[in-house]
Amino acid sequence: MGKVAINLVTGSIQQEEIIVGIDLGTTNSLIAIVRGDSHEPIALKDIDGLALVPSIVHFDEYGNTTVGNPAKELLVAQPERTIYSVKRLMGKSYRDVSKDAGFFAYHIIDDNTDALVKIQVGDKFYSPIELSSYILKELKKRAEHILKVSITKAVITVPAYFNDAQRQATRDAGRLAGLDVLRIINEPTAASLAYGLGTKHADERTIAVYDLGGGTFDISILTINNGIFEVLSTNGDTYLGGDDMDNTIVKYWQEQTGITDNELHNFKSLAQQFRVKAEQAKVHLTTNEVYQGTIDDTPVSLTKEQFNKLIQPLIDRTITACQNSLRDAGLKAEQIDAVVMVGGSTRVPLVKESVRQFFGKEVFDSMNPDEVVALGAAVQADILAGNNTEMLLLDVTPLSLGIETMGGLMDVLIPRNSKIPNKAGRQYTTQKDGQSGMRISVFQGERDLVQDNRKLAEFNLTGIPGMPAGLPNVEVTFLIDADGILKVSATELRSGVAQSIDVKPQYGLTDEEVEKMLLDSLTHAKDDIKVRALVEATTEAQQMLDTTEKFLVKHKEFLTAEEVATTNEHMQQLRDAIAAKDKDLVHKATETLNEVSRPYAERVMDSALKDAMRGKKVI
Ligand code: ADP
Ligand code: MG
């Protein structure tokens, strides 16, 4: 980018605004741009030539912040003031993260279980959004320093499994850092873009993106068709990455040196040295056969062969996840056209080799695996700036979205795995005469009853003018924008009364939860069908009862006392059937009541017709 524009009125030269691409990572973050001259994406580096900014924020006692490498150095000395892995907390409530609380050395506040988490540092409280904004500000500052222009627009990447809440939180963090976030895109999509996959119109490919970072592992299967990306499946492990490799080395050296867990626990600086040296050894063994070093004058060593043995179980776990994601996508390994390697840990030769073997083909690894996501975000930014060929990015919804209808049933408007952006609408009506309001409850999930799904939002459509039941026409529309954020609106079409809501759920779902919800829907499918049948029968029966009751009040004069008694009897039988929750019985009793009452209705209609004919000339 970086086109030059001349203002014809003032004659001044204006630098067209640059849109940056940002990889806001769990371990490392970085910022990239596409250069106008070469059209190649590049990562922006500091004076030491480092592109990666560790995603770590340190607070001193006055609340001043440092971000990146200087903060990383304080990780051990001041654990409660040095915040890492904040990405794990984005869009999460305390309840969401409580089982992982042991992972964090800093203080996560547990005030209200459904509220978003806060982190306490000293006597101040910070949200994950604020903490992420410090990292984004640092990246923005770096870009402004290097490019000498102000940066206000960005594309930020998130994992493919991030839900609405997590995407919204990321967007908010951008805004807080003074960035207009033009697009949130999926990390695997960005990585594919960086390699130019899908940038040509005719490209039709299936891509596997294998992303092994510092603390997380993600495998995503995507297809690209006419420049449109679709995520077919995602899988992975939110606690598996390079840190685990480091830990196995530490364990191995503990045996070598006889240093106990207790000693490491009590001497934090010794533990830190073990960890730093272990990471160094790992990186060294990427290109060498043997590592030799010292910790506190004690020699430690590691051969590549031994290292490979140590990490084999970790790699095996990633391969199992690959198998699962292929299965979910309904594909075989040989149907994958390209395998893209992402994340610093994919530099480990055994990782590459294992992935190559599993998919049975060469992998894309020519770019820096820890930069490739940011580079792809920059490519996307370039597309948005209009500097690139027409391209569309498409993702899919991980779970179905719908609203609650009669009897607590889930009525799906946008099924799971639908492409986004997406729009869907359906018309509903009232159940009671003169009903002036309608509650719209939005749910996410695969089960037939809303109580088994997750509520995202709720609002009331009020001010519907008085009409008989069934007459109002309430159109409910779901709109998911390109960032995967849902907007729900309801309009009563006869009166034009309308109401809408942006869904920013209170807390997010982890990918395990999404998986669990999908699994639940499979295991409960049979029960759900039964329940749905009963609910539908009951709803119909209830309507039948309501109509009959109304009829009895309004048109008693058409019925004999005996008829009223029989009708009441049948109504009671139907109520009993409903209470017994027996679907077949409910159906039968509804039918009987219908049989019994139909002649009365005919009588009324006949009479009305006679009245009408009396008043009018019939031709
Ligand atoms: P994230 O996506 O989680 O922010 P990165 O993609 O930046 O993380 O990966 C960070 C991890 O990559 C760290 O565990 C780091 O030790 C590891 N790493 C970086 N370079 C190498 C290398 N040459 N060999 C092995 N691991 C490496
Ligand atoms: Mg990453």
Side-chain angles (χ1 to χ4, degrees):
M1 263 161 300
K3 279 184 200 158
V4 169
I6 298 172
N7 184 325
L8 295 176
V9 180
T10 62
S12 67
I13 292 177
Q14 295 174 330
Q15 181 106 31
E16 207 166 275
E17 199 166 14
I18 296 174
I19 309 174
V20 294
I22 293 177
D23 173 5
L24 185 59
T26 310
T27 316
N28 296 304
S29 298
L30 69 155
I31 189 164
I33 58 156
V34 168
R35 286 211 330 228
D37 44 2
S38 64
H39 271 288
E40 290 292 315
I42 51 158
L44 299 179
K45 299 182 172 153
D46 67 6
I47 19 174
D48 299 323
L50 300 175
L52 301 188
V53 175
S55 306
I56 302 177
V57 182
H58 174 265
F59 292 89
D60 71 12
E61 52 199 304
Y62 308 106
N64 300 316
T65 54
T66 37
V67 175
N69 277 311
K72 190 176 178 180
E73 278 162 25
L74 296 163
L75 209 51
V76 172
Q78 297 187 18
E80 67 291 339
R81 300 194 153 275
T82 315
I83 315 302
Y84 55 89
S85 282
V86 68
K87 187 172 179 177
R88 294 183 186 279
L89 302 174
M90 290 292 266
K92 298 284 182 87
S93 72
Y94 186 77
R95 191 190 286 165
D96 291 330
V97 297
S98 59
K99 66 174 192 310
D100 309 324
F103 171 85
F104 302 97
Y106 45 86
H107 190 193
I108 298 174
I109 298 300
D110 174 16
D111 52 354
N112 176 347
T113 51
D114 264 351
L116 295 174
V117 293
K118 288 250 177 193
I119 290 99
Q120 182 172 12
V121 183
D123 54 2
K124 291 208 175 70
F125 300 91
Y126 301 92
S127 69
I129 293 173
E130 282 174 282
L131 295 165
S132 299
S133 82
Y134 288 117
I135 300 167
L136 291 171
K137 272 185 199 153
E138 181 71 21
L139 295 170
K140 174 169 147 59
K141 202 168 80 188
R142 168 178 296 191
E144 289 177 338
H145 184 79
I146 295 173
L147 302 170
K148 309 274 185 286
V149 289
S150 99
I151 300 290
T152 60
K153 295 195 168 97
V155 169
I156 304 181
T157 59
V158 296
Y161 60 78
F162 256 31
N163 63 18
D164 282 356
Q166 293 165 300
R167 285 167 199 264
Q168 189 66 47
T170 306
R171 179 175 279 277
D172 290 345
R175 196 169 303 141
L176 207 57
L179 291 169
D180 181 7
V181 182
L182 299 184
R183 203 48 84 77
I184 299 276
I185 68 167
N186 287 335
E187 287 161 12
T189 302
S192 308
L193 278 176
Y195 275 106
L197 293 166
T199 43
K200 279 177 217 77
H201 239 53
D203 256 0
E204 191 186 326
R205 289 197 220 207
T206 309
I207 304 169
V209 181
Y210 179 102
D211 182 349
L212 189 59
T216 58
F217 170 65
D218 299 314
I219 171 80
S220 315
I221 313 282
L222 321 171
T223 58
I224 321 174
N225 201 344
N226 280 329
I228 296 174
F229 281 77
E230 247 184 86
V231 180
L232 295 184
S233 69
T234 67
N235 210 297
D237 190 328
T238 44
Y239 286 93
L240 175 61
D243 297 345
D244 299 295
M245 296 185 181
D246 304 349
N247 289 337
T248 62
I249 300 175
V250 170
K251 284 257 143 59
Y252 178 73
W253 283 346
Q254 276 183 264
E255 278 167 31
Q256 219 174 51
T257 57
I259 304 266
T260 62
D261 284 351
N262 249 343
E263 283 170 297
L264 284 192
H265 187 78
N266 292 333
F267 301 100
K268 291 265 161 25
S269 70
L270 185 67
Q272 170 73 346
Q273 279 194 61
F274 263 88
R275 223 171 300 140
V276 169
K277 285 278 157 75
E279 190 180 2
Q280 276 174 13
K282 172 182 75 176
V283 172
H284 183 81
L285 291 175
T286 300
T287 44
N288 300 276
E289 290 301 313
V290 191
Y291 172 84
Q292 274 172 322
T294 55
I295 297 176
D296 260 3
D297 297 332
T298 312
V300 287
S301 66
L302 185 64
T303 64
K304 190 179 224 156
E305 204 188 334
Q306 188 56 45
F307 172 64
N308 285 347
K309 247 190 228 154
L310 292 175
I311 61 169
Q312 189 64 55
L314 302 175
I315 296 178
D316 291 347
R317 279 162 64 192
T318 70
I319 297 298
T320 305
C322 291
Q323 276 161 347
N324 291 341
S325 73
L326 278 177
R327 185 202 57 208
D328 289 351
L331 293 172
K332 296 204 168 58
E334 53 274 21
Q335 288 173 284
I336 302 293
D337 302 312
V339 182
V340 176
M341 299 300 263
V342 180
S345 301
T346 61
R347 286 212 176 83
V348 173
L350 185 64
V351 170
K352 266 189 218 182
E353 185 47 39
S354 306
V355 177
R356 192 181 294 141
Q357 267 185 18
F358 175 75
F359 286 101
K361 57 177 58 70
E362 279 308 310
V363 296
F364 281 69
D365 63 352
S366 60
M367 300 177 98
N368 273 336
D370 34 25
E371 289 181 6
V372 66
V373 167
L375 297 177
V379 170
Q380 171 63 37
D382 200 38
I383 295 167
L384 288 177
N387 301 334
N388 205 315
T389 46
E390 260 318 293
M391 274 192 54
L392 243 147
L393 288 183
L394 223 73
D395 295 322
V396 298
T397 54
L399 292 166
S400 302
L401 295 162
I403 68 168
E404 173 175 2
T405 53
M406 279 287 278
L409 283 182
M410 171 91 174
D411 196 26
V412 171
L413 274 93
I414 298 185
R416 109 185 180 81
N417 274 337
S418 296
K419 296 179 177 74
I420 56 174
N422 202 317
K423 194 179 168 177
R426 196 164 296 161
Q427 291 184 7
Y428 299 90
T429 190
T430 50
Q431 274 148 34
K432 293 207 171 68
D433 288 340
Q435 188 177 327
S436 67
M438 200 163 171
R439 199 186 58 191
I440 313 284
S441 305
V442 184
F443 285 83
Q444 183 178 40
E446 307 311 311
R447 301 288 302 276
D448 271 356
L449 287 181
V450 293
Q451 69 186 44
D452 299 320
N453 291 329
R454 175 169 174 264
K455 187 189 255 176
L456 292 180
E458 186 171 87
F459 67 99
N460 281 310
L461 177 65
T462 52
I464 302 175
M467 281 183 254
L471 208 57
N473 236 342
V474 176
E475 172 145 287
V476 174
T477 318
F478 276 31
L479 188 87
I480 309 183
D481 67 16
D483 297 330
I485 290 165
L486 175 67
K487 187 190 185 90
V488 179
S489 52
T491 312
E492 201 289 299
L493 298 174
R494 291 176 196 277
S495 58
V497 175
Q499 195 95 40
S500 76
I501 191 170
D502 281 336
V503 178
K504 292 178 198 165
Q506 270 290 295
Y507 61 93
L509 292 176
T510 62
D511 47 340
E512 286 101 6
E513 282 171 310
V514 170
E515 211 167 274
K516 188 179 169 300
M517 286 171 85
L518 292 178
L519 222 74
D520 277 356
S521 73
L522 291 178
T523 43
H524 293 287
K526 263 208 188 121
D527 302 344
D528 275 10
I529 290 170
K530 271 201 207 130
V531 172
R532 179 177 275 274
L534 177 63
V535 169
E536 277 168 358
T538 308
T539 305
E540 195 195 334
Q542 200 62 55
Q543 268 162 357
M544 187 72 212
L545 282 171
D546 288 351
T547 334
T548 316
E549 213 158 298
K550 246 190 266 168
F551 184 90
L552 288 185
V553 173
K554 244 176 147 175
H555 304 292
K556 218 165 186 156
E557 73 269 19
F558 291 95
L559 274 67
T560 66
E562 206 192 323
E563 280 172 336
V564 173
T566 340
T567 312
N568 275 327
E569 205 176 290
H570 285 298
M571 284 172 74
Q572 192 49 47
Q573 273 169 15
L574 181 50
R575 283 192 203 102
D576 292 345
I578 293 174
K581 294 188 191 305
D582 183 330
K583 182 202 70 178
D584 294 332
L585 218 58
V586 171
H587 269 310
K588 242 174 103 193
T590 309
E591 269 165 36
T592 315
L593 181 59
N594 194 31
E595 289 296 311
V596 169
S597 59
R598 192 186 304 128
Y600 315 155
E602 278 164 11
R603 250 177 260 169
V604 175
M605 278 206 323
D606 278 354
S607 146
L609 202 63
K610 273 183 203 136
D611 284 349
M613 296 211 302
R614 226 173 280 136
K616 279 180 194 158
K617 222 165 73 191
V618 180
I619 305 164

